[in-house]
C-alpha cells in the first residue's frame, strides 16, 4: 500500500504544471510569456504556471471571512489598513443589506484586506504579470490583444457605470481559460499593484514628472493602440494600499510550485509593527520593531542605481550635516528592494563609498514579500525592468514609534522642511 501511494505521489510530481488538477473553484494556467505594455523595447516577460480563481471573491464569501476574522470588520479594522470607504456599501459589520450583493463581487476593500482574505484561504492575489497574461484572452483565443474589435469591447466594458458591480460573478462572460469577469464587472487588485508607474500620457515623455520617478522614461506604453491595457496600468498607478474603491474587487491565485509562506497581513499602526526579518550591511538580523526609540529618516532604493538613489543619499547627507550634533540623536535607514544584488557586502560597500557613519546609517534587505509589504505601507512604488528598476523617490521622517510625520517625494527638494520636521521631534 505504501509503495502504491509513493508511486502515485511521484507520478503527480512528474506531471507538467498545466496538467495538475487545480484546487476547487480555480483553473490551471500553463506558463508562457507576454509583451507588457509599460516599455517600448522591453523583452517578453515569462510567467510561471499558476492557479487562479474562476471568478472574483463575492460579498457573501467576504462576509464569511469577516465573521471569522472580526479584526477585519468595518467597525474594527485599523485606519492604516483601509480608508473610510471600507465596505461602505454594506448595511453593517455583518449585514449586506441588499440580498443582490451576495453573489456580486465584493468592492470597497483595500489591498491589505484582500491580501488577508487570500491568505486565510491559502492563496495570494495574482501578480500583475499573471493577471495581464490571462487578460489577453477572449472566448476563443489565448491572445486577442491585437484584435481591435476585442479592444473596443474592453473599452465599452470599462465605460460601464459602477452599478455593474451588482452583477452575479457567475453570470460574467468566460474566456478561453474558463475565467469569468476579468473584464466587464470590476477592476481587480493585483499583488504588486505598486510596481505600476504611469505618470505621463502615452504620446511622449513631455508630461512625465521626472522628479517623482527614477527611470520613468522607460515606462511609456509599448503598444499605444492598446488603450484598454493602458487604462488598467494607469488605474493601478493611482492606487494606494488603503484605498477602498467602489469599482475595485479581487480574486485569488496560487503558485503551482509551492513558495515559502508569506508573512501574514498584520493589523499594524506604524511600519514598525510589520513582520519579517531584514539583514543589515553588517549581516546582522533586524526587525523593524528594533528601530523604535528615536526619530529616523528613511528611504527605499537599490545600491546599483545610478540616477535617483545617489541623489537621495546626498540629500540625506545634507540633512544630516544641517542637523549638526543633533544628528547623533537620529537614525538614517536605506531599505533596499533589490534582492538579487543587494547582499550585506554590497550594501556595506555602498555605505563606505558614500562615507556614511555606520553608527547613524543602516542599510537593510529582506525577502520580496516583506519588502513589498513595507513599500505598500509607505506608498512607495518600484518596478523591475530587465535587471534594473524604476521607482518612486522618498525621504520620510518617522517619529520614535514609526509614525510618518513628514515625507518628501521630489528629487533635489529644499531640505529645510525635512530638517524642521526632525528638529520638532527632538524638542523636549
Amino acid at each position: 500500500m505504501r509503495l502504491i501511494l509513493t508511486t502515485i505521489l511521484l507520478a503527480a510530481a512528474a506531471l507538467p504544471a498545466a496538467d495538475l488538477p487545480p484546487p476547487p473553484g480555480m483553473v490551471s494556467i500553463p506558463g508562457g510569456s507576454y509583451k507588457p505594455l509599460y516599455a517600448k523595447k522591453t523583452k517578453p516577460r515569462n510567467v510561471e504556471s499558476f492557479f487562479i480563481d474562476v471568478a472574483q471573491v463575492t460579498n457573501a464569501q467576504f462576509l464569511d471571512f469577516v465573521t471569522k476574522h472580526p479584526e477585519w470588520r468595518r467597525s474594527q479594522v485599523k485606519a492604516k489598513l483601509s480608508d473610510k470607504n471600507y465596505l461602505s456599501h454594506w448595511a453593517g459589520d455583518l449585514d449586506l443589506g441588499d440580498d443582490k450583493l451576495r453573489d456580486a463581487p465584493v468592492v470597497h476593500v483595500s489591498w491589505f484586506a484582500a491580501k488577508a482574505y487570500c491568505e486565510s484561504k491559502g492563496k495570494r492575489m495574482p501578480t500583475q504579470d499573471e493577471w495581464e497574461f490571462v487578460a489577453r484572452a477572449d472566448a476563443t483565443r489565448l491572445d486577442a490583444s491585437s484584435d481591435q474589435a476585442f479592444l473596443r469591447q474592453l473599452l465599452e466594458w470599462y465605460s460601464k457605470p459602477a452599478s455593474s458591480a451588482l452583477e452575479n460573478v457567475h453570470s460574467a462572460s468566460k474566456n478561453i481559460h474558463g475565467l469569468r469577469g476579468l473584464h466587464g464587472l470590476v477592476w481587480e487588485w493585483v499583488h504588486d499593484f505598486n510596481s505600476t508607474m504611469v505618470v505621463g500620457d502615452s504620446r511622449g515623455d513631455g508630461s512625465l514628472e521626472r522628479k517623482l520617478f527614477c527611470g520613468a522614461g522607460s515606462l511609456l506604453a509599448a503598444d499605444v493602440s492598446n488603450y484598454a491595457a493602458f487604462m488598467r496600468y494607469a488605474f493601478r498607478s493611482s492606487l494606494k494600499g488603503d484605498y477602498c474603491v467602489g469599482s475595485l474587487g479581487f480574486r485569488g491565485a496560487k503558485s503551482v510550485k509551492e513558495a515559502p509562506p508569506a508573512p501574514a497581513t498584520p493589523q499594524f499602526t506604524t511600519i514598525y509593527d510589520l513582520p519579517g526579518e531584514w539583514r543589515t550591511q553588517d549581516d546582522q538580523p533586524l526587525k523593524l520593531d528594533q528601530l523604535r526609540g528615536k526619530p529616523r529618516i528613511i528611504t527605499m532604493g537599490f545600491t546599483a542605481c545610478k540616477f535617483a538613489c545617489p541623489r537621495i543619499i546626498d540629500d540625506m547627507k545634507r540633512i544630516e550635516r544641517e542637523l549638526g550634533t543633533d544628528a547623533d540623536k537620529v537614525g538614517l535607514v536605506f531599505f533596499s528592494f533589490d534582492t538579487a544584488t543587494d547582499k550585506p557586502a554590497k550594501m556595506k560597500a555602498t555605505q563606505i563609498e558614500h562615507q556614511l557613519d555606520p553608527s547613524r546609517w543602516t542599510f537593510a534587505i529582506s525577502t520580496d514579500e516583506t519588502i513589498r509589504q513595507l513599500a505598500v505601507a509607505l506608498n512607495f512604488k518600484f518596478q523591475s525592468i530587465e535587471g534594473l528598476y524604476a521607482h518612486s523617490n522618498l525621504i520620510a521622517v518617522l517619529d520614535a514609534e514609526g509614525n510618518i510625520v513628514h515625507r518628501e517625494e521630489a528629487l533635489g527638494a529644499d531640505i529645510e522642511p525635512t530638517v524642521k520636521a526632525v528638529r520638532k521631534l527632538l524638542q523636549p
Side-chain angles (χ1 to χ4, degrees), residues 248-292:
L248 178 61
F250 71 99
R251 72 180 73 212
K254 199 175 176 70
S255 300
V256 170
K257 296 178 181 177
E258 285 298 324
T265 303
Q267 290 282 325
F268 71 95
T269 301
T270 79
I271 66 167
Y272 292 166
D273 299 322
L274 293 173
E277 184 173 280
W278 299 71
R279 304 296 296 187
T280 71
Q281 74 267 35
D282 296 316
D283 201 16
Q284 295 298 308
L286 174 71
K287 292 186 180 296
L288 296 183
D289 182 70
Q290 294 172 240
L291 299 177
R292 295 184 195 272

CSV table of all heavy atoms in Angstrom, one decimal, residues 248-292:
chain,number,residue,atom,x,y,z
A,248,LEU,N,-13.6,48.3,-7.5
A,248,LEU,CA,-12.4,47.5,-7.4
A,248,LEU,C,-12.6,46.3,-6.5
A,248,LEU,O,-12.9,46.5,-5.3
A,248,LEU,CB,-11.3,48.4,-6.8
A,248,LEU,CG,-9.9,47.8,-6.6
A,248,LEU,CD1,-9.3,47.3,-7.9
A,248,LEU,CD2,-8.9,48.8,-5.9
A,249,GLY,N,-12.4,45.1,-7.0
A,249,GLY,CA,-12.5,43.9,-6.3
A,249,GLY,C,-11.2,43.1,-6.4
A,249,GLY,O,-10.2,43.6,-6.6
A,250,PHE,N,-11.3,41.8,-6.3
A,250,PHE,CA,-10.1,40.9,-6.3
A,250,PHE,C,-10.5,39.5,-6.5
A,250,PHE,O,-11.7,39.1,-6.3
A,250,PHE,CB,-9.2,41.1,-5.1
A,250,PHE,CG,-9.8,40.5,-3.8
A,250,PHE,CD1,-9.4,39.3,-3.4
A,250,PHE,CD2,-10.8,41.2,-3.1
A,250,PHE,CE1,-9.9,38.7,-2.2
A,250,PHE,CE2,-11.3,40.7,-1.9
A,250,PHE,CZ,-10.8,39.4,-1.5
A,251,ARG,N,-9.6,38.7,-6.9
A,251,ARG,CA,-9.7,37.2,-6.9
A,251,ARG,C,-8.4,36.6,-6.4
A,251,ARG,O,-7.4,37.3,-6.4
A,251,ARG,CB,-10.1,36.7,-8.3
A,251,ARG,CG,-9.0,36.7,-9.3
A,251,ARG,CD,-9.4,36.2,-10.7
A,251,ARG,NE,-10.3,37.1,-11.3
A,251,ARG,CZ,-11.3,36.7,-12.1
A,251,ARG,NH1,-11.5,35.5,-12.4
A,251,ARG,NH2,-12.1,37.6,-12.7
A,252,GLY,N,-8.4,35.3,-6.0
A,252,GLY,CA,-7.2,34.7,-5.5
A,252,GLY,C,-6.4,33.9,-6.6
A,252,GLY,O,-6.9,33.7,-7.7
A,253,ALA,N,-5.2,33.7,-6.2
A,253,ALA,CA,-4.3,32.9,-7.1
A,253,ALA,C,-3.4,32.0,-6.2
A,253,ALA,O,-3.4,32.2,-5.0
A,253,ALA,CB,-3.5,33.8,-8.0
A,254,LYS,N,-2.7,31.1,-6.9
A,254,LYS,CA,-1.9,30.2,-6.1
A,254,LYS,C,-0.8,29.7,-7.0
A,254,LYS,O,-1.0,29.4,-8.2
A,254,LYS,CB,-2.7,29.0,-5.7
A,254,LYS,CG,-2.2,28.2,-4.5
A,254,LYS,CD,-3.2,27.1,-4.1
A,254,LYS,CE,-2.7,26.2,-3.0
A,254,LYS,NZ,-2.5,26.9,-1.8
A,255,SER,N,0.5,29.7,-6.5
A,255,SER,CA,1.6,29.2,-7.3
A,255,SER,C,1.5,27.6,-7.4
A,255,SER,O,1.1,27.0,-6.5
A,255,SER,CB,2.9,29.5,-6.7
A,255,SER,OG,3.0,30.9,-6.6
A,256,VAL,N,1.8,27.1,-8.6
A,256,VAL,CA,1.9,25.7,-8.8
A,256,VAL,C,3.1,25.1,-8.0
A,256,VAL,O,2.9,24.1,-7.2
A,256,VAL,CB,2.0,25.3,-10.3
A,256,VAL,CG1,2.3,23.8,-10.4
A,256,VAL,CG2,0.8,25.7,-11.0
A,257,LYS,N,4.2,25.8,-8.1
A,257,LYS,CA,5.4,25.5,-7.2
A,257,LYS,C,5.2,26.1,-5.9
A,257,LYS,O,5.0,27.3,-5.8
A,257,LYS,CB,6.7,26.0,-7.9
A,257,LYS,CG,7.0,25.4,-9.2
A,257,LYS,CD,8.3,26.0,-9.8
A,257,LYS,CE,8.6,25.4,-11.2
A,257,LYS,NZ,9.8,26.0,-11.8
A,258,GLU,N,5.2,25.3,-4.9
A,258,GLU,CA,5.0,25.8,-3.5
A,258,GLU,C,6.1,26.8,-3.1
A,258,GLU,O,7.2,26.5,-3.3
A,258,GLU,CB,5.0,24.6,-2.5
A,258,GLU,CG,3.7,23.8,-2.5
A,258,GLU,CD,2.5,24.6,-2.2
A,258,GLU,OE1,2.6,25.5,-1.3
A,258,GLU,OE2,1.4,24.4,-2.8
A,259,ALA,N,5.6,28.0,-2.7
A,259,ALA,CA,6.5,29.0,-2.3
A,259,ALA,C,6.6,29.1,-0.8
A,259,ALA,O,5.7,28.6,-0.1
A,259,ALA,CB,6.0,30.4,-2.9
A,260,PRO,N,7.6,29.6,-0.2
A,260,PRO,CA,7.7,29.8,1.2
A,260,PRO,C,6.5,30.6,1.7
A,260,PRO,O,6.0,31.5,1.0
A,260,PRO,CB,9.0,30.6,1.5
A,260,PRO,CG,9.8,30.3,0.2
A,260,PRO,CD,8.8,30.2,-0.9
A,261,PRO,N,5.9,30.3,2.9
A,261,PRO,CA,4.8,31.1,3.3
A,261,PRO,C,5.1,32.5,3.5
A,261,PRO,O,6.2,32.9,4.0
A,261,PRO,CB,4.5,30.4,4.7
A,261,PRO,CG,5.7,29.7,5.1
A,261,PRO,CD,6.4,29.3,3.8
A,262,ALA,N,4.2,33.4,3.0
A,262,ALA,CA,4.4,34.8,3.1
A,262,ALA,C,4.0,35.3,4.6
A,262,ALA,O,3.2,34.7,5.2
A,262,ALA,CB,3.5,35.6,2.1
A,263,PRO,N,4.7,36.4,5.0
A,263,PRO,CA,4.3,36.9,6.3
A,263,PRO,C,2.8,37.3,6.3
A,263,PRO,O,2.3,37.9,5.4
A,263,PRO,CB,5.2,38.1,6.5
A,263,PRO,CG,5.7,38.5,5.2
A,263,PRO,CD,5.7,37.2,4.4
A,264,ALA,N,2.1,37.0,7.4
A,264,ALA,CA,0.7,37.3,7.4
A,264,ALA,C,0.4,38.8,7.4
A,264,ALA,O,1.3,39.5,7.9
A,264,ALA,CB,0.1,36.7,8.7
A,265,THR,N,-0.7,39.2,6.8
A,265,THR,CA,-1.0,40.6,6.8
A,265,THR,C,-1.3,41.0,8.2
A,265,THR,O,-2.2,40.5,8.9
A,265,THR,CB,-2.3,40.8,5.9
A,265,THR,OG1,-2.0,40.3,4.6
A,265,THR,CG2,-2.6,42.3,5.8
A,266,PRO,N,-0.5,42.0,8.7
A,266,PRO,CA,-0.7,42.4,10.1
A,266,PRO,C,-1.7,43.4,10.3
A,266,PRO,O,-2.1,44.2,9.4
A,266,PRO,CB,0.7,42.9,10.5
A,266,PRO,CG,1.2,43.5,9.2
A,266,PRO,CD,0.6,42.7,8.1
A,267,GLN,N,-2.2,43.6,11.5
A,267,GLN,CA,-3.0,44.7,11.9
A,267,GLN,C,-2.0,45.7,12.5
A,267,GLN,O,-1.7,45.7,13.6
A,267,GLN,CB,-4.0,44.3,13.0
A,267,GLN,CG,-5.1,43.4,12.4
A,267,GLN,CD,-6.2,44.2,11.7
A,267,GLN,OE1,-6.5,45.3,12.0
A,267,GLN,NE2,-6.7,43.6,10.6
A,268,PHE,N,-1.5,46.6,11.6
A,268,PHE,CA,-0.4,47.5,12.1
A,268,PHE,C,-0.9,48.9,12.2
A,268,PHE,O,-1.8,49.4,11.5
A,268,PHE,CB,0.8,47.4,11.1
A,268,PHE,CG,0.6,48.0,9.8
A,268,PHE,CD1,1.0,49.3,9.5
A,268,PHE,CD2,0.0,47.3,8.7
A,268,PHE,CE1,0.8,49.9,8.3
A,268,PHE,CE2,-0.2,47.9,7.5
A,268,PHE,CZ,0.2,49.2,7.3
A,269,THR,N,-0.2,49.6,13.2
A,269,THR,CA,-0.5,51.0,13.4
A,269,THR,C,0.6,51.8,12.7
A,269,THR,O,0.4,52.9,12.1
A,269,THR,CB,-0.5,51.3,14.9
A,269,THR,OG1,-1.6,50.5,15.5
A,269,THR,CG2,-0.8,52.8,15.1
A,270,THR,N,1.9,51.4,12.9
A,270,THR,CA,3.0,52.0,12.2
A,270,THR,C,3.8,51.0,11.5
A,270,THR,O,3.6,49.8,11.7
A,270,THR,CB,3.9,52.8,13.2
A,270,THR,OG1,4.8,51.9,13.8
A,270,THR,CG2,3.1,53.6,14.2
A,271,ILE,N,4.8,51.4,10.6
A,271,ILE,CA,5.5,50.4,9.9
A,271,ILE,C,6.4,49.5,10.8
A,271,ILE,O,6.8,48.4,10.5
A,271,ILE,CB,6.4,51.0,8.8
A,271,ILE,CG1,7.5,51.9,9.5
A,271,ILE,CG2,5.6,51.8,7.8
A,271,ILE,CD1,8.6,52.3,8.5
A,272,TYR,N,6.6,50.0,12.1
A,272,TYR,CA,7.4,49.2,13.0
A,272,TYR,C,6.6,48.0,13.5
A,272,TYR,O,7.2,47.1,14.2
A,272,TYR,CB,7.9,50.0,14.2
A,272,TYR,CG,8.9,51.1,13.8
A,272,TYR,CD1,9.2,52.1,14.7
A,272,TYR,CD2,9.6,51.1,12.6
A,272,TYR,CE1,10.1,53.1,14.3
A,272,TYR,CE2,10.5,52.0,12.2
A,272,TYR,CZ,10.8,53.0,13.1
A,272,TYR,OH,11.7,54.0,12.8
A,273,ASP,N,5.3,47.9,13.2
A,273,ASP,CA,4.5,46.7,13.6
A,273,ASP,C,4.6,45.6,12.5
A,273,ASP,O,4.1,44.5,12.7
A,273,ASP,CB,3.1,47.1,13.8
A,273,ASP,CG,2.9,48.1,14.9
A,273,ASP,OD1,3.6,48.0,15.9
A,273,ASP,OD2,2.0,49.0,14.8
A,274,LEU,N,5.2,46.0,11.3
A,274,LEU,CA,5.2,45.0,10.2
A,274,LEU,C,6.1,43.8,10.6
A,274,LEU,O,7.2,44.0,11.2
A,274,LEU,CB,5.7,45.7,9.0
A,274,LEU,CG,4.7,46.7,8.4
A,274,LEU,CD1,5.4,47.4,7.2
A,274,LEU,CD2,3.4,46.1,7.9
A,275,PRO,N,5.7,42.6,10.1
A,275,PRO,CA,6.6,41.4,10.4
A,275,PRO,C,7.7,41.3,9.4
A,275,PRO,O,7.8,42.1,8.5
A,275,PRO,CB,5.5,40.3,10.2
A,275,PRO,CG,4.6,40.8,9.2
A,275,PRO,CD,4.5,42.3,9.4
A,276,GLY,N,8.5,40.3,9.6
A,276,GLY,CA,9.6,39.9,8.7
A,276,GLY,C,10.9,40.3,9.3
A,276,GLY,O,11.1,41.3,10.1
A,277,GLU,N,12.0,39.6,8.8
A,277,GLU,CA,13.3,39.9,9.3
A,277,GLU,C,14.1,40.5,8.1
A,277,GLU,O,14.0,40.0,7.0
A,277,GLU,CB,14.0,38.6,9.8
A,277,GLU,CG,15.4,38.9,10.3
A,277,GLU,CD,16.0,37.6,11.0
A,277,GLU,OE1,15.6,37.4,12.2
A,277,GLU,OE2,16.8,37.0,10.3
A,278,TRP,N,14.9,41.5,8.4
A,278,TRP,CA,15.8,42.1,7.5
A,278,TRP,C,17.3,41.8,7.9
A,278,TRP,O,17.6,41.3,9.0
A,278,TRP,CB,15.6,43.6,7.5
A,278,TRP,CG,14.3,44.1,7.1
A,278,TRP,CD1,13.1,43.9,7.9
A,278,TRP,CD2,13.9,44.7,5.9
A,278,TRP,NE1,12.0,44.4,7.2
A,278,TRP,CE2,12.5,45.0,6.0
A,278,TRP,CE3,14.6,45.2,4.8
A,278,TRP,CZ2,11.8,45.6,5.0
A,278,TRP,CZ3,13.9,45.8,3.8
A,278,TRP,CH2,12.5,46.0,3.9
A,279,ARG,N,18.2,42.0,6.9
A,279,ARG,CA,19.6,41.9,7.2
A,279,ARG,C,20.3,43.2,6.9
A,279,ARG,O,20.0,43.9,5.9
A,279,ARG,CB,20.3,40.8,6.3
A,279,ARG,CG,19.7,39.4,6.3
A,279,ARG,CD,19.8,38.8,7.7
A,279,ARG,NE,21.2,38.5,8.1
A,279,ARG,CZ,21.5,37.8,9.2
A,279,ARG,NH1,20.5,37.3,10.0
A,279,ARG,NH2,22.7,37.6,9.5
A,280,THR,N,21.2,43.6,7.8
A,280,THR,CA,21.9,44.9,7.6
A,280,THR,C,23.1,44.8,6.8
A,280,THR,O,23.5,43.7,6.4
A,280,THR,CB,22.2,45.5,9.0
A,280,THR,OG1,23.3,44.7,9.5
A,280,THR,CG2,21.0,45.5,9.9
A,281,GLN,N,23.8,45.9,6.5
A,281,GLN,CA,25.0,45.9,5.8
A,281,GLN,C,26.1,45.2,6.6
A,281,GLN,O,27.2,44.8,6.0
A,281,GLN,CB,25.5,47.3,5.5
A,281,GLN,CG,26.0,48.1,6.7
A,281,GLN,CD,25.0,49.0,7.3
A,281,GLN,OE1,23.8,48.5,7.4
A,281,GLN,NE2,25.3,50.2,7.8
A,282,ASP,N,26.0,45.0,7.9
A,282,ASP,CA,26.9,44.2,8.7
A,282,ASP,C,26.5,42.7,8.8
A,282,ASP,O,27.0,42.0,9.7
A,282,ASP,CB,27.1,44.8,10.0
A,282,ASP,CG,27.7,46.2,9.9
A,282,ASP,OD1,28.7,46.4,9.2
A,282,ASP,OD2,27.2,47.2,10.6
A,283,ASP,N,25.5,42.3,8.0
A,283,ASP,CA,24.9,41.0,8.0
A,283,ASP,C,24.4,40.6,9.4
A,283,ASP,O,24.5,39.5,9.8
A,283,ASP,CB,26.0,40.0,7.6
A,283,ASP,CG,25.4,38.7,7.1
A,283,ASP,OD1,24.2,38.6,6.8
A,283,ASP,OD2,26.1,37.6,7.0
A,284,GLN,N,23.7,41.6,10.0
A,284,GLN,CA,23.1,41.3,11.3
A,284,GLN,C,21.6,41.3,11.1
A,284,GLN,O,21.0,42.0,10.2
A,284,GLN,CB,23.4,42.4,12.3
A,284,GLN,CG,24.9,42.4,12.7
A,284,GLN,CD,25.3,41.2,13.4
A,284,GLN,OE1,24.7,40.7,14.3
A,284,GLN,NE2,26.4,40.5,12.8
A,285,PRO,N,20.8,40.4,11.8
A,285,PRO,CA,19.4,40.4,11.7
A,285,PRO,C,18.8,41.7,12.2
A,285,PRO,O,19.3,42.3,13.2
A,285,PRO,CB,19.0,39.2,12.5
A,285,PRO,CG,20.1,39.0,13.5
A,285,PRO,CD,21.3,39.5,12.8
A,286,LEU,N,17.7,42.1,11.6
A,286,LEU,CA,17.0,43.3,12.1
A,286,LEU,C,15.5,43.2,11.9
A,286,LEU,O,15.0,42.8,10.8
A,286,LEU,CB,17.5,44.5,11.2
A,286,LEU,CG,16.7,45.9,11.5
A,286,LEU,CD1,17.1,46.4,12.8
A,286,LEU,CD2,17.0,46.9,10.4
A,287,LYS,N,14.8,43.4,12.9
A,287,LYS,CA,13.3,43.5,12.8
A,287,LYS,C,12.9,45.0,12.9
A,287,LYS,O,13.6,45.8,13.7
A,287,LYS,CB,12.6,42.7,13.9
A,287,LYS,CG,12.8,41.2,13.8
A,287,LYS,CD,12.0,40.5,14.8
A,287,LYS,CE,12.2,38.9,14.6
A,287,LYS,NZ,11.7,38.5,13.4
A,288,LEU,N,11.9,45.4,12.2
A,288,LEU,CA,11.6,46.8,12.2
A,288,LEU,C,11.3,47.4,13.6
A,288,LEU,O,11.5,48.5,13.9
A,288,LEU,CB,10.4,47.1,11.3
A,288,LEU,CG,10.6,46.8,9.8
A,288,LEU,CD1,9.4,47.1,9.0
A,288,LEU,CD2,11.8,47.5,9.3
A,289,ASP,N,10.8,46.5,14.5
A,289,ASP,CA,10.4,46.9,15.8
A,289,ASP,C,11.7,47.5,16.6
A,289,ASP,O,11.6,48.3,17.5
A,289,ASP,CB,9.8,45.8,16.6
A,289,ASP,CG,9.4,46.1,18.0
A,289,ASP,OD1,8.5,46.9,18.2
A,289,ASP,OD2,10.1,45.6,18.9
A,290,GLN,N,12.9,47.0,16.1
A,290,GLN,CA,14.1,47.4,16.8
A,290,GLN,C,14.5,48.9,16.5
A,290,GLN,O,15.3,49.4,17.1
A,290,GLN,CB,15.3,46.5,16.4
A,290,GLN,CG,15.1,45.1,16.8
A,290,GLN,CD,16.2,44.2,16.2
A,290,GLN,OE1,15.9,43.2,15.5
A,290,GLN,NE2,17.5,44.5,16.4
A,291,LEU,N,13.8,49.4,15.5
A,291,LEU,CA,14.1,50.8,15.1
A,291,LEU,C,13.3,51.8,16.0
A,291,LEU,O,13.6,53.0,15.8
A,291,LEU,CB,13.7,51.0,13.6
A,291,LEU,CG,14.5,50.2,12.6
A,291,LEU,CD1,14.0,50.4,11.2
A,291,LEU,CD2,16.0,50.4,12.7
A,292,ARG,N,12.5,51.4,16.8
A,292,ARG,CA,11.8,52.3,17.7
A,292,ARG,C,12.8,53.0,18.7
A,292,ARG,O,13.9,52.5,18.9
A,292,ARG,CB,10.7,51.5,18.6
A,292,ARG,CG,9.6,50.9,17.8
A,292,ARG,CD,8.6,50.3,18.8
A,292,ARG,NE,7.7,49.3,18.1
A,292,ARG,CZ,6.6,49.7,17.6
A,292,ARG,NH1,6.2,51.0,17.6
A,292,ARG,NH2,5.8,48.8,17.0
